[in-house]
Amino acid sequence: MARFEPIAVARPGADKVSLVTCKSYDDYSAAELAAQLDFNPYSFLHVLNPAYVNQQKIGLEKRFKLVAQKYADFKADGTLITDPESAFYLYRIESKHGTFQGIVGGCSVEDYRSGVIKQHEDTLQYRVELFKDYLHQTRFNTEPVLIAYEQSAAFSEKLEQISSTEPIYRFSTPQKDTHTLWKIAQAEVVAEIQHYFAKQKKLYIADGHHRSASADLLEKQYANEQPASSLFLSFLIAEQDIKIFEYNRIIRDLAGLTEEDFLREIEKHFWVTNKGKELYKPDQKYHFGMYFKQSFYKLQFKNPFDLQTIEEKLDAHILYRYVLNPVLKISDLRNDERIDYIPGKQSITTIKEVIDEGEYEVGFLLYPSSITEIKELADHNFIMPPKSTYFEPKFRSGLIIYEL
């Protein structure tokens, strides 16, 4: 039984919402970030990084306090308004990757702790503690955890009824995405949504494992002294509507192997087909792409029937077990500086270009995991290798802000 609650939030005024909201801070290049901060005084980026010019010169605690102060300034000048009425929010994103629709509200920290909310990725303790400290100092969160749920036809119809009403926001972004937000505050509809999720035995974290773990840590720190900390900001979306991309791998060198020896090692476990200049990307499980010496290769794993567990059957695990670790001598996927990652939403030519430039020697393209695979993994308490999945949609920072 999952607990999903309406929440009171702060949000932009309708006249400024397109100016205030922004992509995740890490999604901006240095030039884009400078342009936003120099020419858009309403951008929520000013809150997220108020000392961007001097960020290397100040400590984290001071930076977090500056974030809190800038957030207070945005509220004081009316850029952000406080909506004290608890509500759910129906949020729709229309982008080049598809149309995504889900409900924003508060999920229970206790459900995360007890395993009602399932996870499939490991977390780094220092990142969990860092974000916990950030939440404690700033007292707000605008980055919801993306959570998948099973949606019935009747509930889907209910959401469509809500989306036929007048939204509180509808705006476009420079990325040519369209964002629409409906507030759901009617008591009977709120109760209906709560009842629907109370019948869900399991929910699945798609994106936001560190944020969930940080919320757990923060709630323990507050020891029930801050009721708002018993919930964490969440964006619940039907599992079939989540778009899952792979993370492709690029490697800086061959660990001392010659070209011939490297290909010979690959052929021990894969059927190798040279595709030449054809931009090859795998179209099924157990197939991999490789870009090497200005040629694309198709790699087909030879022995899929020898794999026993759901963990062993993951394509990312196969690549690690049979290539990255034994052949290229990469053991630490998180910290080894010889490996980098490119999300599958980027063009295949991106891999070709960075390797042709000479900084990297070889690239591997994977077939994306399915939501069924991810759920099965989570149900068996297995953990995916780092950088295995990239999820869409991505939430706009500054759109909905949950205060702690």
Side-chain angles (χ1 to χ4, degrees):
M1 178 179 291
R3 177 187 169 206
F4 188 45
E5 300 287 344
I7 52 176
V9 303
R11 51 188 176 84
D15 61 326
K16 297 183 180 69
V17 62
S18 62
L19 296 171
V20 172
T21 62
C22 60
K23 297 185 294 183
S24 172
Y25 179 82
D26 293 332
D27 287 342
Y28 289 92
S29 67
E32 289 175 323
L33 187 62
Q36 283 288 316
L37 293 170
D38 287 342
F39 299 110
N40 180 4
Y42 296 111
S43 174
F44 202 74
L45 289 169
H46 288 285
V47 175
L48 298 176
N49 199 12
Y52 78 102
V53 175
N54 300 308
Q55 60 179 321
Q56 302 300 325
K57 301 178 182 179
I58 63 173
L60 284 174
E61 184 174 353
K62 184 176 181 181
R63 181 185 172 193
F64 293 163
K65 288 180 179 178
L66 288 172
V67 170
Q69 182 58 57
K70 194 64 178 179
Y71 177 67
D73 291 345
F74 265 45
K75 292 185 70 176
D77 67 15
T79 302
L80 297 173
I81 59 174
T82 300
D83 189 341
E85 182 182 28
S86 292
F88 290 120
Y89 292 86
L90 180 64
Y91 180 36
R92 178 182 293 169
I93 305 167
E94 299 165 74
S95 74
K96 63 181 179 181
H97 298 301
T99 298
F100 309 95
Q101 182 171 276
I103 305 174
V104 182
C107 276
S108 166
V109 171
E110 180 55 37
D111 283 352
Y112 170 80
R113 198 173 291 155
S114 67
V116 173
I117 298 175
K118 309 290 288 185
Q119 54 187 320
H120 68 269
E121 288 185 4
D122 205 355
T123 56
L124 297 174
Q125 190 61 26
Y126 84 91
R127 286 186 59 190
V128 172
E129 293 181 0
L130 179 64
F131 193 65
K132 184 269 293 182
D133 291 342
Y134 171 87
L135 295 174
H136 175 61
Q137 293 286 348
T138 64
R139 294 301 179 97
F140 75 84
N141 183 21
T142 187
E143 299 182 40
V145 177
L146 182 65
I147 294 179
Y149 72 92
E150 293 184 6
Q151 181 169 279
S152 68
F155 193 67
S156 177
E157 184 177 343
K158 169 56 67 175
L159 298 186
E160 289 305 313
Q161 291 174 2
I162 295 170
S163 67
S164 67
T165 63
E166 186 68 21
I168 57 173
Y169 302 138
R170 182 177 175 83
F171 62 97
S172 298
T173 70
Q175 294 76 41
K176 298 184 178 180
D177 300 339
T178 300
H179 300 259
T180 312
L181 191 74
W182 292 264
K183 180 179 176 180
I184 308 170
Q186 302 93 329
E188 65 277 10
V189 183
V190 167
E192 190 173 349
I193 292 171
Q194 288 179 296
H195 178 69
Y196 181 78
F197 285 102
K199 294 187 295 183
Q200 298 271 329
K201 295 181 179 179
K202 299 175 185 176
L203 300 174
Y204 294 86
I205 298 173
D207 192 15
H209 288 78
H210 285 88
R211 280 165 271 161
S212 306
S214 297
D216 181 21
L217 208 60
L218 186 69
E219 200 268 346
K220 290 175 181 175
Q221 176 178 317
Y222 287 160
N224 299 320
E225 294 179 4
Q226 296 286 346
S229 70
S230 67
L231 302 173
F232 59 94
L233 185 63
S234 304
F235 181 31
L236 273 58
I237 186 168
E239 60 186 38
Q240 67 270 18
D241 293 338
I242 291 178
K243 178 72 173 177
I244 305 173
F245 294 92
E246 75 284 2
Y247 263 107
N248 299 311
R249 281 87 163 108
I250 48 177
I251 316 298
R252 295 184 187 277
D253 60 65
L254 299 183
L257 294 174
T258 65
E259 176 182 345
E260 293 75 16
D261 287 342
F262 171 67
L263 290 174
R264 192 176 299 114
E265 289 294 323
I266 295 291
E267 289 172 344
K268 289 181 179 179
H269 298 286
F270 299 85
W271 302 112
V272 180
T273 305
N274 191 330
K275 308 291 283 188
K277 301 299 181 183
E278 178 186 343
L279 298 176
Y280 173 75
K281 189 173 184 179
D283 58 3
Q284 59 181 292
K285 190 169 173 57
Y286 304 131
H287 287 206
F288 302 80
M290 181 173 76
Y291 185 68
F292 179 58
K293 299 298 181 183
Q294 298 188 326
S295 291
F296 281 91
Y297 292 81
K298 173 184 175 181
L299 311 181
Q300 182 178 351
F301 186 59
K302 291 181 178 180
N303 301 305
F305 297 109
D306 291 344
L307 306 174
Q308 301 298 316
T309 69
I310 181 64
E311 184 181 32
E312 291 177 343
K313 294 176 183 178
L314 287 171
D315 282 0
H317 183 79
I318 292 169
L319 185 67
Y320 174 76
R321 179 178 177 182
Y322 294 99
V323 179
L324 299 182
N325 183 238
V327 180
L328 296 175
K329 309 305 179 186
I330 294 173
S331 58
D332 188 344
L333 292 173
R334 291 188 184 275
N335 301 309
D336 195 316
E337 295 182 352
R338 296 171 53 234
I339 184 171
D340 280 317
Y341 302 88
I342 297 178
K345 72 169 188 174
Q346 294 190 27
S347 170
I348 187 175
T349 58
T350 302
I351 292 179
K352 180 181 184 301
E353 289 168 358
V354 297
I355 293 175
D356 287 346
E357 288 171 358
E359 184 178 354
Y360 298 88
E361 190 75 20
V362 61
F364 296 96
L365 299 97
L366 285 75
Y367 186 68
S369 297
S370 67
I371 190 65
T372 300
E373 198 170 33
I374 291 170
K375 288 173 61 178
E376 186 177 358
L377 196 80
D379 287 341
H380 288 83
N381 298 314
F382 285 127
I383 299 298
M384 298 186 84
K387 296 291 186 180
S388 293
T389 50
Y390 180 94
F391 292 93
E392 290 280 351
K394 298 297 184 185
F395 205 86
R396 296 285 288 183
S397 291
L399 180 63
I400 288 178
I401 304 145
Y402 182 55
E403 297 182 342
L404 299 167

